[in-house]
Amino acid sequence: MASSHSSSPVPQRSSSDVFFKKEVESAKHIRPVQSLPDVCPKEPTGDSSSLCVAPSLVTDQHRWTIYHSKVNLPAALNDPRLAKRESDFFTKTWGLDFVDTEVIPSYYLPQISKEHFTAYQQEISQREKIHERCKNICPPKDTFDRTLLHTHDKSRTDLDQVPKIFMKPDFALDDSLTFNSVLPWSHFNTAGGKGNRDAASSKLLQEKLSHYLDIVEVNIAHQISLRSEAFFHAMTSQHELQDYLKKTSQAVKMLRDKIAQIDKVMCEGSLQILRLALTRNNCVKVYNKLKLMATVHQTQPTVQVLLSTSEFVGALDLIATTQEVLQQELQGIHSFRHLGSQLCELEKLISKMMIAEFSTYSHSDLNRPLEDDSQVLEEERLVSLVFGLLKQRKLNFLEIYGEEVIITAKNIIKQCVINKVSQIEEIDTDVVVKLADQMRMLNFLQWFDLLKDIFSKFTIFLHRVKATLNIIHSVVLSVLDKNQRTRELEEISQQKNAAKDNSLDTEVAYLIHEGMFISDAFNEGELAPVAVDTTSQRNASPNSEPCSSDSVSEPECTTDSSSSKEQTSSSATPGGVDIMVSEDMKLTDMELGKLANNIQELLYSASDICHDRAVKFLMARAKDGFLEKLNSIEFITLSRLMETFILDTEQICGRKSMSLLGALQGQANKFVNRFHEERKTKLSLLLDNERWKQADVPAEFQDLVDSISGGKIALPEKKSGTTEERKPAEVLIVEGQQYAVVGTVLLLIRIILEYCQCVDNIPSVTTDMLTRLSDLLKYFNSRSCQLVLGAGALQVVGLKTITTKNLALASRCLQLIVHYIPVIRGHFEARLPPKQYNMLRHFDHITKDYHDHIAEISAKLVAIMDSLFDKLLSKYEVKAPVPSACFRNICKQMAKMHEAIFDLLPEEQTQTLFLRINASYKLHLKKQLCHLNVINDGGPQNGLVTADVAFYTGNLQALKGLKDLDLNMAEIWEQKR
C-alpha cells in the first residue's frame, strides 16, 4: 500500500466543500483519513494508489498487494549496514573490482551546498511566520488524532490475527493446497476413540473462522463508517444520474419519432426516385455489358477475316482493344476466362506471320527486275507491315532486310556474269565449268563492259533500297512525332486540370441511404446525352469496338480508353501514302530514335555490301595478274569508272564506302609501282645508249613544250596529217629561250608529263607519284653525272673522250629540267592536301642537286682550260717572235672552246664561263711572269709580254658574243712594293 496520499475534495449537497487534511508526524507513520473522488468523473483525480485503497464503487478492483513489489538482486545484496561487502556465493565470481570500486561522483550533477537554498529560505520565511501565527490561534486537534491513532492501531492488531493466506489475491478454495491449508482433514476424522477430540477440534476451527470473519466485518464496517459521507454522496449522485438518463432517453425517443415522420413525408419519395434511377442505370449497364460481351465473342472470327486479307494492323488493334475490354470491363466473366490467353497466342502468331510476310516482301522487292521503273513495291503493304511490326516491338525486321540485301547483291553479280559470258561465243561453257574461270577468259573491253553493267545495276539497286528505307524511316518518324505531340497534349491537359482543381470548390452532398453520393447520381444523369453522341460516333468508326448507347455507361465503357478510341494522326510517306498513326504504340522515343539510326546505318551497310561484292569481283579477275598488266590508258579508264561508282553511291547513301576505294588504292599503288619501274627502266636504257650529241627536236616535242608554257601540264592531242609535214628543229624553244638537248631529255620531259597526267587521272596516287617522280629526277641527275662527269659513257657507249661539247650539252639539259621543276611543283601542290605540303620539299632538294651538278660541269670546263693554261704557259719564254707560239696555241684552244659551247649555252652563260677561264689564264700568266722575273718596267720583255697579251685579248674579244667582255689584263702584273 502507498505510504502517503493526498486528499481530494468531496462535493456536498450544500455545495460546500469539505476537506480532510492530514497532519501526521513522520516518525509515527500514521495513515491519514482519505476521501473518495466524484463517482462519475470524466478523468480520475488523485493518484492511482489512493483510488485503490479507498473503498469506492467506481475504483479499480485490482488492489495493490505485497506481491506487486519488485526488488532487483543487486539491491537486495547491498546491505548498507556492512562497512565492507563480504564475498559470498553471489559476489565471489563478480571480481575484485566490483567489491572495492567506489562510486565516482557524476560530472553532470552539481555539488549542492547550503547556499543553494538561501533564496528559497528568504522567500518562504514570511510564509513560515504566518503559519506559526495561525498555529497559535487555531486550537490543536490532539484528541482527535490520538483517537484516530488508537483505532488504527487496534484495527491493525486485529487484522494481524487473520492468517496471511486469506489475504492473498489468488485465494480460492477450489485449489487443493489452499483448501487443505484452511480446512485440515485431521479435524474431520471420526474413526477410533478420538471422535470427541476431533469434534472439539472442528468446533474450535469453526469458531476460529467465525472470529476471523468478525474481525474482517468489523474492519469493513469501520472503513464504511469512516467513508460514510462519501458513500451516501455516491448513492445520491447515482439516483440523480439515473433520473437524468431517463429524461434523456425520453427526449431521444421523441426526436426519433419526429425524424421518422419527416423521413416518411419529405424524403422517402425522393429517395425512391433516386433508387429507381440507379436501378435503371444498373439495368442499362448490364445491357451494355451483354452487348459488349457479344461483340467480344465475335473477336476471333473477325481477326481471322482480317488476317485473310493481310490486315495485320487492324487485327492487332482489335486484339489490343479486346484485351483491354477483358481487363477493364469484363474482368471476372467466367465464360471469357480463356479468351485472354487465346488472344495472346493469336497475337504471337500474327507476329510470326508479319515477320514471314516482311521477309517475303523484301525478297520480292529486291529481286524483281532492275529495269522496273517503280522504286517501291506495294507501298501501302510495306507501311502496314512496318506499323504492325512496330506495334509488336519486333524491331529485328531490319536484320531480315539486311540479309536479303546481301543475297541480292550476290545474285546481281552472278546474273551479270552469266549474261555477259553467254554473249561471248569464244567461251565454251561445257569445257570451262566454273563461272569465275569463264569470267577470267574475258578481255579487257569485255570485262570492262561487264564491270560497268554491274556498277549500273548496283546503282539502281541502291536507289531501290534507299526508297524502301525512306518509307520505313518516314513511318518511324511519324510514330515518333505522334509520341511527342501526345506527350505535349498530356502536359497541357495536366496544367489545365491543375488550374481547374485550384479554382473549383465544389460542395459534395452525401446520400446517406445506401452510402452513395447524391452528386454522383445527378452527374450520371447529366452525362446521358453526351454519352449517346460519343457512342454513336464510335460505332460509326470501322475500326472501333461497338459500345452501348446507354446514357450513363460512358465512364465504364472500355472504348473510352486511348487505344480503343483509335485516335490517329495522319501523315504521308515520300510515295504519297497516308500514314495513320494510332496512339497505342508502346515504343519509347529512345527506341524510335535508335531504330531511325539503324535504318540509316542499314543504308550505309547496303552501300558497303555493294562495294564489298565489287571488290571480290575485282580480286577474282586480278588473280592472274590481269590488272597489273593494264597499260596506263586502260587503268585510268578503270580507275575513273570505279571513282564514278564511288561518288554515285556516296550521293545515294550520304557516306563514302571505303572498301572499293581501298581496293582501288591498292591496285593504284601496284599500277604506280609498275608505271614507275617501266619509266625508270626506259630512262635507264636511254641513258645507257645516249651518246650525248645534240639531237633534232621533232615537232610533237615542241608542241609538248608549248602546251606547258601556259602553266598547265597536259599531254597534247596528236594532230593527224600535220605532224609529218613539219620538219624537226635543231633546238627546243621554251619561252623564247633555245635549248640544245639530247634525245633522252626530250623523252624525259614526256615521261614527266605522263606522271603529271596520271596524277590528274588518279588523284589518289598523288603522293606516290610525287615520290616516284622525285626518284626519277634524282636518278636522271645521278646517272647523267656518272656518264658525263664520271666519264661512264666511255665504257657504256664507247665514246673516245668526253668533250667540252658533251659537257655543255649535259649542262643545258639539266637547265631545261630545272626550268620545269617549279611548274611540276605547282602542279602537285594544287592536288596535294594541305597536311602533305611538306612533301614538296623533295623538289627543293632536287633543284639544289641539279644546280650543284650544273656548277660542277661549269667547273669541269674551267678545269679543262686551266690544265691547258698550266701546260702551255709553263713553257712560255719572253722572246720574239710576237705573238709567241704559246699565245697562238692558247688563242686556238680558246676559239675551239668557244666554238664548242657557244651554240649550246646562252650568251650570258658563255660570257660568265669565259670570264672564269680568263681569270684562270691571268693567274697562270702572272705566275709564269713572276717565275721569269718579268715586271712592268717598260723594258723589252715587258713590251713583248704586252704584245702577246694584246694578241690574246684581241682574239678573245673577236669571238662571237665576247666583244664587250671586260678582261682586265692589268692584273697580270705584280704590284710594286
mmCIF file of all heavy atoms in Angstrom, residues 876 881-895 918 921 925 943-959 967 969 972:
data_model
loop_
_atom_site.group_PDB
_atom_site.id
_atom_site.type_symbol
_atom_site.label_atom_id
_atom_site.label_comp_id
_atom_site.label_asym_id
_atom_site.label_seq_id
_atom_site.Cartn_x
_atom_site.Cartn_y
_atom_site.Cartn_z
ATOM 1 N N TYR A 876 106.285 28.992 -121.467
ATOM 2 C CA TYR A 876 106.320 30.310 -122.100
ATOM 3 C C TYR A 876 107.649 31.011 -121.783
ATOM 4 O O TYR A 876 108.095 31.036 -120.629
ATOM 5 C CB TYR A 876 105.149 31.154 -121.604
ATOM 6 C CG TYR A 876 105.178 32.586 -122.089
ATOM 7 C CD1 TYR A 876 105.106 32.878 -123.454
ATOM 8 C CD2 TYR A 876 105.281 33.632 -121.177
ATOM 9 C CE1 TYR A 876 105.130 34.193 -123.870
ATOM 10 C CE2 TYR A 876 105.293 34.945 -121.597
ATOM 11 C CZ TYR A 876 105.209 35.221 -122.959
ATOM 12 O OH TYR A 876 105.245 36.535 -123.381
ATOM 13 N N PRO A 881 109.413 35.502 -131.793
ATOM 14 C CA PRO A 881 108.530 36.495 -132.440
ATOM 15 C C PRO A 881 107.293 36.787 -131.611
ATOM 16 O O PRO A 881 106.971 36.064 -130.675
ATOM 17 C CB PRO A 881 108.173 35.822 -133.749
ATOM 18 C CG PRO A 881 108.163 34.360 -133.422
ATOM 19 C CD PRO A 881 109.231 34.148 -132.407
ATOM 20 N N VAL A 882 106.585 37.799 -132.007
ATOM 21 C CA VAL A 882 105.336 38.221 -131.369
ATOM 22 C C VAL A 882 104.227 38.063 -132.406
ATOM 23 O O VAL A 882 104.387 38.569 -133.534
ATOM 24 C CB VAL A 882 105.431 39.668 -130.868
ATOM 25 C CG1 VAL A 882 104.088 40.095 -130.278
ATOM 26 C CG2 VAL A 882 106.530 39.825 -129.857
ATOM 27 N N PRO A 883 103.157 37.458 -132.181
ATOM 28 C CA PRO A 883 102.902 36.745 -130.892
ATOM 29 C C PRO A 883 103.664 35.438 -130.835
ATOM 30 O O PRO A 883 103.972 34.836 -131.863
ATOM 31 C CB PRO A 883 101.390 36.525 -130.907
ATOM 32 C CG PRO A 883 101.051 36.403 -132.362
ATOM 33 C CD PRO A 883 101.990 37.312 -133.095
ATOM 34 N N SER A 884 103.876 35.009 -129.655
ATOM 35 C CA SER A 884 104.629 33.777 -129.426
ATOM 36 C C SER A 884 103.758 32.582 -129.769
ATOM 37 O O SER A 884 102.520 32.651 -129.855
ATOM 38 C CB SER A 884 105.119 33.717 -127.995
ATOM 39 O OG SER A 884 103.998 33.653 -127.121
ATOM 40 N N ALA A 885 104.421 31.441 -129.939
ATOM 41 C CA ALA A 885 103.700 30.193 -130.260
ATOM 42 C C ALA A 885 102.763 29.777 -129.126
ATOM 43 O O ALA A 885 101.679 29.231 -129.346
ATOM 44 C CB ALA A 885 104.724 29.101 -130.547
ATOM 45 N N CYS A 886 103.183 30.054 -127.922
ATOM 46 C CA CYS A 886 102.330 29.695 -126.738
ATOM 47 C C CYS A 886 101.008 30.442 -126.797
ATOM 48 O O CYS A 886 99.937 29.839 -126.615
ATOM 49 C CB CYS A 886 103.107 30.024 -125.464
ATOM 50 S SG CYS A 886 102.124 29.755 -123.948
ATOM 51 N N PHE A 887 101.091 31.719 -127.034
ATOM 52 C CA PHE A 887 99.853 32.507 -127.072
ATOM 53 C C PHE A 887 98.997 32.151 -128.284
ATOM 54 O O PHE A 887 97.754 32.195 -128.222
ATOM 55 C CB PHE A 887 100.188 34.001 -127.070
ATOM 56 C CG PHE A 887 100.358 34.547 -125.661
ATOM 57 C CD1 PHE A 887 101.554 34.381 -124.971
ATOM 58 C CD2 PHE A 887 99.306 35.201 -125.027
ATOM 59 C CE1 PHE A 887 101.710 34.871 -123.708
ATOM 60 C CE2 PHE A 887 99.486 35.698 -123.755
ATOM 61 C CZ PHE A 887 100.665 35.528 -123.070
ATOM 62 N N ARG A 888 99.678 31.767 -129.410
ATOM 63 C CA ARG A 888 98.891 31.358 -130.561
ATOM 64 C C ARG A 888 98.113 30.074 -130.244
ATOM 65 O O ARG A 888 96.944 29.917 -130.609
ATOM 66 C CB ARG A 888 99.792 31.176 -131.788
ATOM 67 C CG ARG A 888 100.218 32.501 -132.420
ATOM 68 C CD ARG A 888 100.747 32.263 -133.831
ATOM 69 N NE ARG A 888 101.937 31.412 -133.819
ATOM 70 C CZ ARG A 888 103.187 31.877 -133.713
ATOM 71 N NH1 ARG A 888 103.404 33.187 -133.624
ATOM 72 N NH2 ARG A 888 104.216 31.048 -133.715
ATOM 73 N N ASN A 889 98.767 29.112 -129.540
ATOM 74 C CA ASN A 889 98.075 27.861 -129.146
ATOM 75 C C ASN A 889 96.919 28.150 -128.170
ATOM 76 O O ASN A 889 95.841 27.545 -128.243
ATOM 77 C CB ASN A 889 99.065 26.898 -128.512
ATOM 78 C CG ASN A 889 100.015 26.298 -129.544
ATOM 79 O OD1 ASN A 889 99.669 26.194 -130.729
ATOM 80 N ND2 ASN A 889 101.206 25.918 -129.112
ATOM 81 N N ILE A 890 97.170 29.072 -127.246
ATOM 82 C CA ILE A 890 96.122 29.409 -126.281
ATOM 83 C C ILE A 890 94.922 30.012 -126.995
ATOM 84 O O ILE A 890 93.758 29.646 -126.739
ATOM 85 C CB ILE A 890 96.669 30.376 -125.220
ATOM 86 C CG1 ILE A 890 97.647 29.648 -124.312
ATOM 87 C CG2 ILE A 890 95.528 30.999 -124.390
ATOM 88 C CD1 ILE A 890 98.356 30.545 -123.308
ATOM 89 N N CYS A 891 95.176 30.910 -127.923
ATOM 90 C CA CYS A 891 94.053 31.516 -128.629
ATOM 91 C C CYS A 891 93.326 30.491 -129.489
ATOM 92 O O CYS A 891 92.089 30.527 -129.632
ATOM 93 C CB CYS A 891 94.572 32.660 -129.520
ATOM 94 S SG CYS A 891 95.162 34.075 -128.549
ATOM 95 N N LYS A 892 94.098 29.529 -130.031
ATOM 96 C CA LYS A 892 93.470 28.491 -130.824
ATOM 97 C C LYS A 892 92.529 27.619 -129.960
ATOM 98 O O LYS A 892 91.410 27.300 -130.367
ATOM 99 C CB LYS A 892 94.566 27.647 -131.476
ATOM 100 C CG LYS A 892 94.036 26.563 -132.390
ATOM 101 C CD LYS A 892 95.196 25.790 -133.018
ATOM 102 C CE LYS A 892 94.661 24.670 -133.905
ATOM 103 N NZ LYS A 892 95.783 23.884 -134.521
ATOM 104 N N GLN A 893 92.977 27.228 -128.773
ATOM 105 C CA GLN A 893 92.144 26.405 -127.864
ATOM 106 C C GLN A 893 90.935 27.184 -127.358
ATOM 107 O O GLN A 893 89.841 26.619 -127.213
ATOM 108 C CB GLN A 893 93.001 25.929 -126.690
ATOM 109 C CG GLN A 893 94.118 24.988 -127.089
ATOM 110 C CD GLN A 893 93.598 23.695 -127.713
ATOM 111 O OE1 GLN A 893 92.517 23.203 -127.374
ATOM 112 N NE2 GLN A 893 94.370 23.185 -128.690
ATOM 113 N N MET A 894 91.140 28.468 -127.110
ATOM 114 C CA MET A 894 90.011 29.280 -126.690
ATOM 115 C C MET A 894 88.950 29.370 -127.788
ATOM 116 O O MET A 894 87.733 29.330 -127.511
ATOM 117 C CB MET A 894 90.486 30.677 -126.308
ATOM 118 C CG MET A 894 91.382 30.707 -125.076
ATOM 119 S SD MET A 894 90.472 30.428 -123.556
ATOM 120 C CE MET A 894 89.757 32.034 -123.319
ATOM 121 N N ALA A 895 89.412 29.450 -129.046
ATOM 122 C CA ALA A 895 88.465 29.508 -130.162
ATOM 123 C C ALA A 895 87.708 28.199 -130.286
ATOM 124 O O ALA A 895 86.495 28.164 -130.564
ATOM 125 C CB ALA A 895 89.218 29.823 -131.456
ATOM 126 N N ASN A 918 89.245 33.190 -118.258
ATOM 127 C CA ASN A 918 90.206 34.276 -118.330
ATOM 128 C C ASN A 918 90.862 34.513 -116.980
ATOM 129 O O ASN A 918 92.071 34.808 -116.900
ATOM 130 C CB ASN A 918 89.515 35.538 -118.814
ATOM 131 C CG ASN A 918 90.480 36.697 -118.983
ATOM 132 O OD1 ASN A 918 91.434 36.614 -119.753
ATOM 133 N ND2 ASN A 918 90.238 37.770 -118.232
ATOM 134 N N TYR A 921 93.457 32.012 -116.731
ATOM 135 C CA TYR A 921 94.574 32.359 -117.606
ATOM 136 C C TYR A 921 95.443 33.436 -116.963
ATOM 137 O O TYR A 921 96.675 33.329 -116.973
ATOM 138 C CB TYR A 921 94.019 32.829 -118.950
ATOM 139 C CG TYR A 921 94.980 33.634 -119.770
ATOM 140 C CD1 TYR A 921 96.031 33.019 -120.472
ATOM 141 C CD2 TYR A 921 94.867 35.018 -119.849
ATOM 142 C CE1 TYR A 921 96.926 33.772 -121.211
ATOM 143 C CE2 TYR A 921 95.757 35.764 -120.591
ATOM 144 C CZ TYR A 921 96.788 35.128 -121.266
ATOM 145 O OH TYR A 921 97.691 35.879 -121.998
ATOM 146 N N LEU A 925 99.415 33.130 -116.067
ATOM 147 C CA LEU A 925 100.368 34.053 -116.712
ATOM 148 C C LEU A 925 101.115 34.859 -115.665
ATOM 149 O O LEU A 925 102.336 35.074 -115.779
ATOM 150 C CB LEU A 925 99.621 34.973 -117.683
ATOM 151 C CG LEU A 925 100.475 35.994 -118.433
ATOM 152 C CD1 LEU A 925 101.544 35.295 -119.275
ATOM 153 C CD2 LEU A 925 99.603 36.877 -119.313
ATOM 154 N N GLY A 943 107.556 44.779 -123.094
ATOM 155 C CA GLY A 943 106.902 45.061 -124.343
ATOM 156 C C GLY A 943 106.463 43.804 -125.055
ATOM 157 O O GLY A 943 105.376 43.736 -125.654
ATOM 158 N N LEU A 944 107.327 42.771 -125.016
ATOM 159 C CA LEU A 944 106.954 41.512 -125.653
ATOM 160 C C LEU A 944 105.710 40.896 -124.983
ATOM 161 O O LEU A 944 104.791 40.404 -125.647
ATOM 162 C CB LEU A 944 108.126 40.531 -125.592
ATOM 163 C CG LEU A 944 109.359 40.907 -126.462
ATOM 164 C CD1 LEU A 944 110.515 39.940 -126.182
ATOM 165 C CD2 LEU A 944 108.998 40.892 -127.928
ATOM 166 N N VAL A 945 105.719 40.912 -123.664
ATOM 167 C CA VAL A 945 104.557 40.340 -122.933
ATOM 168 C C VAL A 945 103.307 41.137 -123.238
ATOM 169 O O VAL A 945 102.225 40.574 -123.476
ATOM 170 C CB VAL A 945 104.837 40.316 -121.427
ATOM 171 C CG1 VAL A 945 103.583 39.930 -120.651
ATOM 172 C CG2 VAL A 945 105.982 39.387 -121.117
ATOM 173 N N THR A 946 103.460 42.432 -123.296
ATOM 174 C CA THR A 946 102.304 43.277 -123.579
ATOM 175 C C THR A 946 101.760 42.990 -124.963
ATOM 176 O O THR A 946 100.522 42.936 -125.167
ATOM 177 C CB THR A 946 102.682 44.754 -123.454
ATOM 178 O OG1 THR A 946 103.194 45.002 -122.136
ATOM 179 C CG2 THR A 946 101.496 45.647 -123.716
ATOM 180 N N ALA A 947 102.680 42.739 -125.944
ATOM 181 C CA ALA A 947 102.241 42.429 -127.298
ATOM 182 C C ALA A 947 101.502 41.103 -127.325
ATOM 183 O O ALA A 947 100.453 40.939 -127.988
ATOM 184 C CB ALA A 947 103.434 42.405 -128.238
ATOM 185 N N ASP A 948 102.010 40.088 -126.626
ATOM 186 C CA ASP A 948 101.317 38.781 -126.568
ATOM 187 C C ASP A 948 99.946 38.888 -125.915
ATOM 188 O O ASP A 948 98.962 38.289 -126.382
ATOM 189 C CB ASP A 948 102.179 37.778 -125.815
ATOM 190 C CG ASP A 948 103.414 37.342 -126.615
ATOM 191 O OD1 ASP A 948 103.357 37.451 -127.848
ATOM 192 O OD2 ASP A 948 104.381 36.881 -125.985
ATOM 193 N N VAL A 949 99.905 39.662 -124.847
ATOM 194 C CA VAL A 949 98.618 39.812 -124.145
ATOM 195 C C VAL A 949 97.622 40.539 -125.031
ATOM 196 O O VAL A 949 96.425 40.199 -125.071
ATOM 197 C CB VAL A 949 98.819 40.549 -122.809
ATOM 198 C CG1 VAL A 949 97.492 40.952 -122.191
ATOM 199 C CG2 VAL A 949 99.622 39.702 -121.861
ATOM 200 N N ALA A 950 98.100 41.517 -125.765
ATOM 201 C CA ALA A 950 97.207 42.235 -126.660
ATOM 202 C C ALA A 950 96.688 41.320 -127.736
ATOM 203 O O ALA A 950 95.507 41.362 -128.142
ATOM 204 C CB ALA A 950 97.935 43.428 -127.259
ATOM 205 N N PHE A 951 97.571 40.438 -128.250
ATOM 206 C CA PHE A 951 97.141 39.457 -129.235
ATOM 207 C C PHE A 951 96.055 38.541 -128.644
ATOM 208 O O PHE A 951 95.031 38.257 -129.278
ATOM 209 C CB PHE A 951 98.358 38.648 -129.703
ATOM 210 C CG PHE A 951 98.008 37.526 -130.619
ATOM 211 C CD1 PHE A 951 97.710 37.756 -131.964
ATOM 212 C CD2 PHE A 951 97.978 36.212 -130.146
ATOM 213 C CE1 PHE A 951 97.361 36.704 -132.780
ATOM 214 C CE2 PHE A 951 97.652 35.174 -130.981
ATOM 215 C CZ PHE A 951 97.337 35.401 -132.312
ATOM 216 N N TYR A 952 96.262 38.090 -127.405
ATOM 217 C CA TYR A 952 95.286 37.207 -126.735
ATOM 218 C C TYR A 952 93.949 37.927 -126.524
ATOM 219 O O TYR A 952 92.866 37.370 -126.808
ATOM 220 C CB TYR A 952 95.864 36.745 -125.396
ATOM 221 C CG TYR A 952 94.845 36.141 -124.465
ATOM 222 C CD1 TYR A 952 94.421 34.832 -124.624
ATOM 223 C CD2 TYR A 952 94.296 36.891 -123.432
ATOM 224 C CE1 TYR A 952 93.473 34.307 -123.763
ATOM 225 C CE2 TYR A 952 93.357 36.362 -122.568
ATOM 226 C CZ TYR A 952 92.945 35.056 -122.744
ATOM 227 O OH TYR A 952 92.012 34.511 -121.903
ATOM 228 N N THR A 953 94.046 39.189 -126.116
ATOM 229 C CA THR A 953 92.824 39.944 -125.858
ATOM 230 C C THR A 953 92.068 40.196 -127.147
ATOM 231 O O THR A 953 90.827 40.065 -127.201
ATOM 232 C CB THR A 953 93.159 41.285 -125.185
ATOM 233 O OG1 THR A 953 93.893 41.038 -123.992
ATOM 234 C CG2 THR A 953 91.911 42.070 -124.878
ATOM 235 N N GLY A 954 92.781 40.529 -128.202
ATOM 236 C CA GLY A 954 92.109 40.787 -129.456
ATOM 237 C C GLY A 954 91.424 39.555 -129.995
ATOM 238 O O GLY A 954 90.288 39.613 -130.495
ATOM 239 N N ASN A 955 92.073 38.439 -129.954
ATOM 240 C CA ASN A 955 91.464 37.199 -130.435
ATOM 241 C C ASN A 955 90.237 36.800 -129.588
ATOM 242 O O ASN A 955 89.229 36.327 -130.135
ATOM 243 C CB ASN A 955 92.493 36.074 -130.421
ATOM 244 C CG ASN A 955 93.426 36.122 -131.642
ATOM 245 O OD1 ASN A 955 93.104 35.632 -132.731
ATOM 246 N ND2 ASN A 955 94.582 36.740 -131.458
ATOM 247 N N LEU A 956 90.395 36.965 -128.273
ATOM 248 C CA LEU A 956 89.273 36.560 -127.401
ATOM 249 C C LEU A 956 88.063 37.452 -127.618
ATOM 250 O O LEU A 956 86.920 36.960 -127.691
ATOM 251 C CB LEU A 956 89.728 36.612 -125.944
ATOM 252 C CG LEU A 956 88.743 36.007 -124.922
ATOM 253 C CD1 LEU A 956 88.469 34.540 -125.212
ATOM 254 C CD2 LEU A 956 89.286 36.145 -123.496
ATOM 255 N N GLN A 957 88.271 38.749 -127.738
ATOM 256 C CA GLN A 957 87.141 39.647 -127.929
ATOM 257 C C GLN A 957 86.583 39.556 -129.347
ATOM 258 O O GLN A 957 85.463 40.005 -129.603
ATOM 259 C CB GLN A 957 87.569 41.086 -127.631
ATOM 260 C CG GLN A 957 87.832 41.316 -126.157
ATOM 261 C CD GLN A 957 88.256 42.753 -125.851
ATOM 262 O OE1 GLN A 957 88.631 43.507 -126.776
ATOM 263 N NE2 GLN A 957 88.231 43.117 -124.577
ATOM 264 N N ALA A 958 87.364 38.988 -130.224
ATOM 265 C CA ALA A 958 86.877 38.816 -131.581
ATOM 266 C C ALA A 958 85.899 37.655 -131.696
ATOM 267 O O ALA A 958 85.178 37.532 -132.701
ATOM 268 C CB ALA A 958 88.062 38.594 -132.538
ATOM 269 N N LEU A 959 85.882 36.809 -130.664
ATOM 270 C CA LEU A 959 84.925 35.696 -130.684
ATOM 271 C C LEU A 959 83.502 36.211 -130.537
ATOM 272 O O LEU A 959 83.246 37.247 -129.925
ATOM 273 C CB LEU A 959 85.252 34.707 -129.573
ATOM 274 C CG LEU A 959 86.622 34.014 -129.680
ATOM 275 C CD1 LEU A 959 86.865 33.128 -128.463
ATOM 276 C CD2 LEU A 959 86.718 33.198 -130.963
ATOM 277 N N LEU A 967 88.212 42.081 -119.753
ATOM 278 C CA LEU A 967 89.222 41.090 -119.385
ATOM 279 C C LEU A 967 90.138 41.592 -118.278
ATOM 280 O O LEU A 967 90.719 40.783 -117.557
ATOM 281 C CB LEU A 967 90.055 40.721 -120.620
ATOM 282 C CG LEU A 967 89.235 40.118 -121.787
ATOM 283 C CD1 LEU A 967 90.138 39.834 -122.980
ATOM 284 C CD2 LEU A 967 88.537 38.842 -121.345
ATOM 285 N N MET A 969 93.305 42.922 -118.104
ATOM 286 C CA MET A 969 94.580 42.222 -118.174
ATOM 287 C C MET A 969 95.657 42.883 -117.326
ATOM 288 O O MET A 969 96.761 42.332 -117.177
ATOM 289 C CB MET A 969 95.049 42.159 -119.639
ATOM 290 C CG MET A 969 94.083 41.414 -120.541
ATOM 291 S SD MET A 969 93.784 39.723 -119.996
ATOM 292 C CE MET A 969 95.432 39.030 -120.134
ATOM 293 N N ILE A 972 97.776 41.038 -114.467
ATOM 294 C CA ILE A 972 98.828 40.027 -114.624
ATOM 295 C C ILE A 972 100.139 40.516 -114.031
ATOM 296 O O ILE A 972 101.049 39.715 -113.765
ATOM 297 C CB ILE A 972 99.030 39.663 -116.085
ATOM 298 C CG1 ILE A 972 99.506 40.889 -116.897
ATOM 299 C CG2 ILE A 972 97.751 39.090 -116.678
ATOM 300 C CD1 ILE A 972 99.851 40.577 -118.343
#
